[in-house]
Amino acid sequence: MDASPATDVVHQAILTLHLDPVCQNKEAANKWLTELQQSVVYAWKVADDLLHEKRDLLSCYFAAQTIRNKIQASFAELPVESHESLRISLLQHIKHITPETDHTITLQLSVAMADFALQMTSWENPLLDLISILAGDPPNPDGQHIYALLDVLKVLPEEITSRHLRLASERREILRTNFGKMFDAVVPFVSLDRRLLDDKKYTDSGGHHSSSASTQKAMQCLTSWFEFAVLPTQSMNFEPILQYAVTCLTDRWTPNMAHERAVECLCAAVGVFYGIRDHSDEHYVLARWVQEAAYTMIEPFNVCVAEEDIDKILGFARLFSDLADALTSAIIYSPGVDLGSLQTLEILLLCAGHFDPEVCNVTFNFWYNFAEVVHRHEDTHLTGLVKPYVKRLLMALRRLVEMEPDHEGILDEDTDSYDFRLRVSELVRDLSCIVSPTECSVEMLGHMWPWLETIRKREIDGSNPDGRSGWELIEACYFMMGTVGRLIPATAEVVDPMVDSVLSLPSNFHVAIRVSAISLLGEISHCFEQRAHRANEIFSFLLLYLNDPICAQAAASSLEKVSMVFRDLMGIDHLEVLFTALRSIDENNTVPRHNVVGVLVSIVCVASRLSPTESKDILREVVRYHVGHLSQHCTDGAPRIADPTMWLDRIAVIGRHMTSSVEPGMIHPCRDVVIEMWPVLDAVLTKYADDSRIMERTCRALRFLIRAVSKQCSELLTPLVPKLVEVYNGKRHSCLLYLGSILVDEFGRESEFQGGLLLMLEALLPSALELLKDADSRKMHPDTLDDLYRLCGRFVQRLPGPFLVSSCLPSVLEVALVGVLLDHKDVIIAIQKFWVDFIRIAGLPEDEDSPVRHVQLAKDILFEKGCGAQLVLNLILDVVGWNGFGYSNYFLAEFADVIYSLMSLDRVKMCHWLEAALKDVAVKMQATNGSIQITQTQLVSVHKAITSAEGIKTVVQGLKNLNRLFA
């Protein structure tokens, strides 16, 4: 853009963008306006002029948004001498804000003012100056600009912690400290004088408190400052607005929006004293005030329940949960006393007693954390005090997971009820440290037993022939017992009554009861080792339901677990019954075929425990059955559309669970079985080479089969490796690279195979590198990058010598250096692991197991050829977000692993590399964003923290500190 456009032209473009019905005109206007916003000079002036002219809402919004974006992202464009004029202009716009001003424009201008104040380092006291300018001198809480001031005061602390604003961490800390000290100057405006609570202008005709705009702004402002978390609270000089928030919550006529903001305000206050233990804490007065206020809200909560006002109920639940979370330490260390009052748990149970599961769900995070803390504390007195509350919670959860009485079938996995049950399962298991699994099961069994007897009695006398009355309670009890089933001690006396109740269930009971009861048998299967005499009745019971369309999946899963327990008691007869059941399911179209997986696992696991001859015979029969079906998809006459994935998945299951023990020198009983499969798998690789999904399944099956028999299937390498290379070079499925890594892992240490494996890599690499030739290509093919470096990593681990002298090494290292800059979890893990293993080679002792040549080659690559220095630079660029990615702490741990490995190899060189990288990165980042101001002292501090580290955790902390400098 060569010249500043007239505001008339800009205004017309804005109208075209929003109002013109022609799409082409809209696109052209959008492109032109975007260029204007990105211009270095003209955007500032045009936006300022539009705001002064106030033509219409659209133009004012565009102008406010432009100024905010420019200040937030491009403040460095602005010459220092123009800062003062921009400040004056912004203040003029802010002064024109009234309660009638559109909220979006108000927000944009307030954020712009806040961001400007925070980035203008020459402005020493922006907070006090803004108060003085907008509230007068002396400040007047009822001044004409109070509305605008509240907006600015609200966003100021929020923007200090915002990651969208590129402030150095040192600047943030200075601002946080100064603002915390100046909070007393803010209090008159957030408290709005005690007249707020009494003045008639704040009440409606019925005498109920209404919420003026400025009142709600004041609550939002105080919320923001509470979340700022550096405030003095002993004087409680902000109590009037807190009291007003409580009034909003206790008054049934409070509008929902005001109620929500009152909840947010009190929750923010709770956050201030999070973790408080007793009266010695500086925030004790505030904590005690909020605690007492919350205890007065039981009746308002019940009123909302009666009126079914779910939004307000959820607000109360959030407040109660946050308060309980903040007071956890007090409850743990002084249960029942002062801040540790157990009434906090009582108000939480109000939420659990509500009929809507979502209300109780709000409290789950507290119960998770509370259970963990109680478990760590190991205090029997404390456990005894809180156990009655947890038992009541468990009964409430049992009621909440009940299905509707008229529900048909079982819960669909896509429903909210099913998701809620998953969360309940996790919570009940966590709470088992307070109420033991045995106690929980006894409670549930005792609760449902009368209902079972009643239903059986009605069945006998004919008054309830279908056995459905009260079924939902019984099913819920079975579900609750199943959640803790795996935690029940094998010797627990409750196990036999549980098993009896399941095995004696009439077949006409609601199918949901049967499914939950069958699943319970699987969950308590570990208890059957001491109940071997019940093997046949349990086995027969589960087989009975394998052909039931609804119960089959649960029966197969439980059968798998039970078979693992009874495997030493099961022989050929049991396997034949299982195999017959498996074939019956395949032939029965009413039962989904994926339900046989548990049966198949049972067969393979039990067969693997038999003698080698018996194991070989039964596994060959099972394999031939599946390979026979798979081969039908590969014949010349088979339709191309036929999907063989089910059979491939089953073959993978067979390979994964073939765990026969083989003595040294013995032939693996499954060796011939695996080799017999190859022709059919080869045909699948040929016919379905275009289908990445089927290729993925085929490679997975081959992976488990090869892992099962290891080196004894070496004769497969001759046909498999050429086939792998052929298909990959033609279709480039990354799963074939992963399969190659399995071959290297299994056979790479054997010298007779090393040459062929290296030739395989050299044949695969050109096609892989073609997909990774530039940054965009690497972003488009992360799976290829991931699997390629899993393969290369195996070469480093298993045959480093040949790999280090191979012709493909330079290309591999080149991509590995730039690959660390990609924002992809699996890629980061694979490449960092590759580098750690590579560095380990350079650090090996020079002995017969690690020839001098291997070690020296690795060192030369890192030290002499510059790979080490470049690697450190790229890692530091990652940490500071050079590519715009926000790496998680998990990634920082991966980066730290590489850096610490380099330090372990040569700390002196690592110090030099890191110093150069920090200087280079600081220059690059500051050139990109002038608002980032990094001092030499800060860089030295980070450098020292990292290079003096004696463990990976210390390096991670140093990288976190570095990240904060540029955040």
Side-chain angles (χ1 to χ4, degrees):
M1 193 166 285
D2 299 327
S4 177
T7 53
D8 289 338
V9 176
V10 178
H11 184 244
Q12 185 57 50
I14 295 170
L15 294 178
T16 301
L17 175 64
H18 291 280
L19 305 177
D20 196 311
V22 181
C23 290
Q24 290 179 337
N25 294 343
K26 283 178 174 288
E27 292 173 2
N30 181 60
K31 181 179 179 181
W32 187 84
L33 289 171
T34 300
E35 291 178 1
L36 172 62
Q37 287 183 315
Q38 293 174 350
S39 65
V40 176
V41 178
Y42 310 127
W44 301 93
K45 183 178 183 306
V46 169
D48 188 50
D49 291 343
L50 285 174
L51 284 173
H52 279 297
E53 293 177 8
K54 295 184 178 61
R55 297 194 183 195
D56 52 34
L57 180 63
L58 292 177
S59 63
C60 287
Y61 173 72
F62 173 81
Q65 181 193 52
T66 300
I67 285 185
R68 191 212 70 176
N69 288 343
K70 296 297 283 185
I71 290 176
Q72 195 172 76
S74 307
F75 187 72
E77 295 177 355
L78 217 57
V80 175
E81 57 270 17
S82 64
H83 287 180
E84 184 61 29
S85 60
L86 178 59
R87 177 170 68 168
I88 294 172
S89 179
L90 279 173
L91 286 169
Q92 289 176 346
H93 297 313
I94 291 289
K95 286 180 178 180
H96 286 106
I97 292 177
T98 67
E100 288 72 37
T101 304
D102 184 80
H103 170 71
T104 305
I105 296 174
T106 299
L107 178 62
Q108 300 282 357
L109 289 175
S110 298
V111 172
M113 186 75 254
D115 289 351
F116 176 82
L118 298 177
Q119 293 183 90
M120 186 177 174
T121 54
S122 61
W123 194 352
E124 294 182 358
N125 293 302
L127 179 61
L128 296 181
D129 288 348
L130 285 169
I131 291 174
S132 175
I133 294 169
L134 296 175
D137 191 6
N140 177 15
D142 295 320
Q144 62 175 328
H145 302 308
I146 183 63
Y147 193 83
L149 178 59
L150 285 172
D151 276 311
V152 177
L153 289 178
K154 174 185 178 295
V155 298
L156 264 173
E158 294 174 352
E159 290 302 294
I160 289 180
T161 57
S162 171
R163 292 301 172 188
H164 297 294
L165 193 63
R166 302 307 293 266
L167 282 176
S169 60
E170 189 175 75
R171 172 70 174 163
R172 291 183 194 272
E173 287 306 313
I174 292 173
L175 290 167
R176 283 173 63 88
T177 303
N178 290 343
F179 279 22
K181 294 176 180 177
M182 299 175 190
F183 179 60
D184 285 343
V186 179
V187 168
F189 305 97
V190 298
S191 290
L192 290 180
D193 201 279
R194 290 184 180 273
R195 290 174 302 167
L196 177 74
L197 303 179
D198 306 313
D199 199 322
K200 291 182 179 179
K201 69 181 179 180
Y202 293 112
T203 60
D204 60 21
S205 58
H208 304 291
H209 288 282
S210 64
S211 297
S212 68
S214 58
T215 308
Q216 293 199 38
K217 287 286 182 186
M219 281 197 295
Q220 289 179 291
C221 187
L222 185 60
T223 300
S224 180
W225 281 83
F226 273 144
E227 291 172 348
F228 196 45
V230 292
L231 308 180
T233 61
Q234 294 91 331
S235 66
M236 289 290 289
N237 50 1
F238 45 80
E239 183 179 351
I241 197 67
L242 278 184
Q243 185 60 57
Y244 187 81
V246 172
T247 302
C248 287
L249 295 184
T250 54
D251 189 342
R252 63 186 295 187
W253 304 105
T254 300
N256 280 9
M257 180 61 73
H259 193 280
E260 180 182 348
R261 287 174 177 169
V263 169
E264 289 174 354
C265 183
L266 289 172
C267 285
V270 167
V272 172
F273 57 82
Y274 183 88
I276 190 172
R277 184 177 296 188
D278 53 40
H279 64 276
S280 62
D281 191 281
E282 62 176 323
H283 300 300
Y284 172 78
V285 176
L286 175 62
R288 189 65 177 159
W289 194 98
V290 176
Q291 181 190 43
E292 292 297 332
Y295 292 166
T296 67
M297 297 178 191
I298 295 176
E299 184 58 31
F301 177 88
N302 290 332
V303 169
C304 291
V305 171
E307 296 178 350
E308 298 185 3
D309 193 334
I310 190 63
D311 291 334
K312 290 184 179 179
I313 293 170
L314 288 172
F316 279 119
R318 178 189 167 193
L319 175 58
F320 296 161
S321 182
D322 284 3
L323 176 64
D325 214 18
L327 298 179
T328 296
S329 294
I331 296 173
I332 294 297
Y333 289 99
S334 53
V337 179
D338 198 23
L339 292 176
S341 171
L342 297 182
Q343 192 174 352
T344 303
L345 302 182
E346 194 71 49
I347 60 175
L348 270 186
L349 290 176
L350 290 174
C351 305
H354 193 267
F355 65 86
D356 190 335
E358 200 56 38
V359 177
C360 185
N361 185 60
V362 174
T363 70
F364 275 19
N365 280 339
F366 163 75
W367 290 112
Y368 289 138
N369 297 333
F370 186 68
E372 182 182 354
V373 175
V374 171
H375 178 64
R376 288 201 312 263
H377 203 61
E378 296 183 347
D379 185 335
T380 54
H381 173 68
L382 170 66
T383 303
L385 287 176
V386 302
K387 181 179 290 188
Y389 296 93
V390 175
K391 282 188 174 182
R392 287 166 57 192
L393 173 65
L394 293 175
M395 295 309 295
L397 292 174
R398 192 270 306 157
R399 288 191 296 272
L400 288 171
V401 299
E402 288 181 10
M403 299 184 196
E404 294 296 330
D406 59 350
H407 184 86
E408 298 291 337
I410 60 176
L411 285 177
D412 191 325
E413 293 185 5
D414 295 329
T415 61
D416 292 338
S417 296
Y418 185 86
D419 291 339
F420 180 71
R421 282 192 165 205
L422 292 180
R423 295 193 294 271
V424 168
S425 298
E426 184 180 356
L427 176 58
V428 173
R429 283 192 288 270
D430 284 357
L431 292 170
S432 63
C433 64
I434 301 174
V435 176
S436 71
T438 302
E439 285 183 279
C440 178
S441 298
V442 169
E443 290 276 340
M444 296 300 162
L445 193 63
H447 199 70
M448 78 173 191
W449 199 264
W451 287 91
L452 277 173
E453 293 300 317
T454 299
I455 292 176
R456 289 195 180 103
K457 182 179 179 181
R458 289 176 178 174
E459 184 180 6
I460 293 173
D461 61 25
S463 61
N464 184 36
D466 61 355
R468 293 170 63 89
S469 177
W471 71 267
E472 67 277 7
L473 182 147
I474 298 172
E475 188 278 334
C477 288
Y478 273 126
F479 167 78
M480 293 292 285
M481 288 189 286
T483 62
V484 294
R486 70 187 70 172
L487 304 176
I488 295 176
T491 57
E493 294 181 0
V494 73
V495 173
D496 285 311
M498 290 166 69
V499 174
D500 290 337
S501 73
V502 173
L503 299 183
S504 61
L505 280 177
S507 59
N508 66 337
F509 268 27
H510 194 287
V511 67
I513 295 179
R514 285 178 277 148
V515 169
S516 294
I518 291 169
S519 298
L520 175 60
L521 288 181
E523 294 299 322
I524 61 174
S525 59
H526 64 283
C527 301
F528 298 159
E529 289 186 8
Q530 300 185 15
R531 295 167 175 81
H533 61 284
R534 310 203 68 165
N536 285 332
E537 59 178 328
I538 294 173
F539 188 74
S540 300
F541 176 82
L542 294 174
L543 283 175
L544 182 66
Y545 288 99
L546 277 180
N547 283 308
D548 186 303
I550 301 178
C551 299
Q553 185 171 357
S557 176
S558 292
L559 190 61
E560 175 188 342
K561 297 172 184 176
V562 170
S563 297
M564 293 297 292
V565 176
F566 292 141
R567 59 187 180 274
D568 292 334
L569 302 175
M570 299 174 69
I572 296 295
D573 293 343
H574 291 94
L575 291 178
E576 289 178 350
V577 172
L578 286 172
F579 195 23
T580 300
L582 184 148
R583 285 180 292 201
S584 174
I585 292 175
D586 283 339
E587 295 166 2
N588 184 355
N589 292 328
T590 62
V591 178
R593 288 182 168 184
H594 66 263
N595 288 336
V596 306
V597 171
V599 181
L600 184 58
V601 171
S602 302
I603 294 172
V604 177
C605 290
V606 174
S608 298
R609 304 280 294 183
L610 301 176
S611 67
T613 302
E614 291 176 322
S615 177
K616 180 178 179 179
D617 290 342
I618 190 69
L619 288 175
R620 175 176 277 129
E621 184 180 359
V622 173
V623 166
R624 284 179 175 172
Y625 170 76
H626 289 88
V627 169
H629 281 281
L630 182 61
S631 64
Q632 295 175 12
H633 292 268
C634 303
T635 57
D636 293 337
R640 177 65 178 79
I641 197 173
D643 188 353
T645 54
M646 183 188 74
W647 303 104
L648 288 168
D649 287 344
R650 290 201 195 174
I651 290 173
V653 168
I654 295 171
R656 187 172 192 173
H657 293 89
M658 286 194 302
T659 56
S660 301
S661 300
V662 180
E663 298 294 331
M666 290 181 58
I667 296 177
H668 197 290
C670 304
R671 173 185 175 277
D672 294 340
V673 174
V674 171
I675 292 175
E676 286 177 9
M677 292 191 212
W678 168 248
V680 175
L681 294 174
D682 179 40
V684 172
L685 289 170
T686 300
K687 183 170 184 177
Y688 296 96
D690 292 331
D691 193 319
S692 60
R693 186 173 61 94
I694 296 177
M695 288 296 98
E696 186 82 34
R697 296 316 223 290
T698 307
C699 290
R700 184 169 176 266
L702 282 166
R703 165 197 170 193
F704 286 121
L705 292 172
I706 292 169
R707 289 292 197 195
V709 296
S710 191
K711 298 179 181 62
Q712 293 197 22
C713 66
S714 58
E715 64 184 84
L716 277 181
L717 288 179
T718 302
L720 175 56
V721 171
K723 189 69 176 182
L724 186 154
V725 172
E726 174 194 340
V727 176
Y728 183 77
N729 285 334
K731 306 300 178 182
R732 300 183 181 181
H733 301 301
S734 70
C735 58
L736 293 163
L737 297 175
Y738 183 78
L739 180 59
S741 73
I742 301 299
L743 299 179
V744 176
D745 191 39
E746 290 292 337
F747 303 101
R749 285 197 172 98
E750 306 298 320
S751 57
E752 60 186 297
F753 303 123
Q754 290 181 351
L757 291 172
L758 200 58
L759 289 174
M760 176 189 73
L761 176 63
E762 293 174 350
L764 293 171
L765 199 58
S767 296
L769 294 180
E770 179 63 25
L771 294 178
L772 308 172
K773 58 187 177 182
D774 54 43
D776 290 337
S777 299
R778 290 189 288 273
K779 289 178 183 178
M780 292 175 60
H781 300 98
D783 291 341
T784 298
L785 201 53
D786 174 24
D787 291 327
L788 175 62
Y789 281 92
R790 289 178 185 269
L791 172 60
C792 294
R794 293 300 187 186
F795 273 97
V796 173
Q797 295 169 0
R798 300 291 182 254
L799 54 157
F803 180 66
L804 289 173
V805 297
S806 68
S807 60
C808 60
L809 182 63
S811 300
V812 170
L813 295 177
E814 180 182 353
V815 176
L817 284 171
V818 294
V820 298
L821 297 171
L822 191 66
D823 180 31
H824 191 282
K825 179 180 178 180
D826 293 335
V827 171
I828 290 289
I829 293 173
I831 294 184
Q832 307 295 16
K833 182 72 167 61
F834 168 81
W835 280 116
V836 169
D837 289 336
F838 191 92
I839 295 165
R840 181 184 56 82
I841 295 297
L844 288 175
E846 298 176 354
D847 53 31
E848 63 277 4
D849 294 326
S850 55
V852 175
R853 184 163 177 250
H854 298 177
V855 175
Q856 193 56 48
L857 281 171
K859 285 183 177 179
D860 287 346
I861 290 169
L862 291 170
F863 298 152
E864 305 302 328
K865 297 184 179 179
C867 279
Q870 187 62 48
L871 177 60
V872 172
L873 175 60
N874 288 355
L875 291 174
I876 298 303
L877 286 171
D878 276 341
V879 172
V880 302
W882 172 251
N883 288 327
F885 305 137
Y887 288 101
S888 67
N889 290 340
Y890 183 87
F891 286 151
L892 292 182
E894 295 292 325
F895 301 153
D897 197 7
V898 178
I899 289 174
Y900 188 72
S901 297
L902 286 169
M903 284 200 298
S904 301
L905 178 63
D906 192 323
R907 192 174 291 262
V908 174
K909 281 189 170 59
M910 178 62 204
C911 288
H912 293 315
W913 293 339
L914 182 60
E915 180 182 359
L918 290 173
K919 290 179 179 178
D920 193 357
V921 168
V923 171
K924 288 185 177 185
M925 293 295 285
Q926 290 179 7
T928 305
N929 188 343
S931 64
I932 295 179
Q933 300 296 327
I934 306 298
T935 66
Q936 181 65 23
T937 303
Q938 290 173 317
L939 292 178
V940 170
S941 176
V942 169
H943 184 274
K944 182 178 179 180
I946 294 175
T947 55
S948 62
E950 296 298 333
I952 292 178
K953 288 185 178 179
T954 311
V955 178
V956 171
Q957 189 57 51
L959 295 179
K960 286 181 181 179
N961 294 339
L962 175 62
N963 177 269
R964 292 191 189 105
L965 289 179
F966 293 89

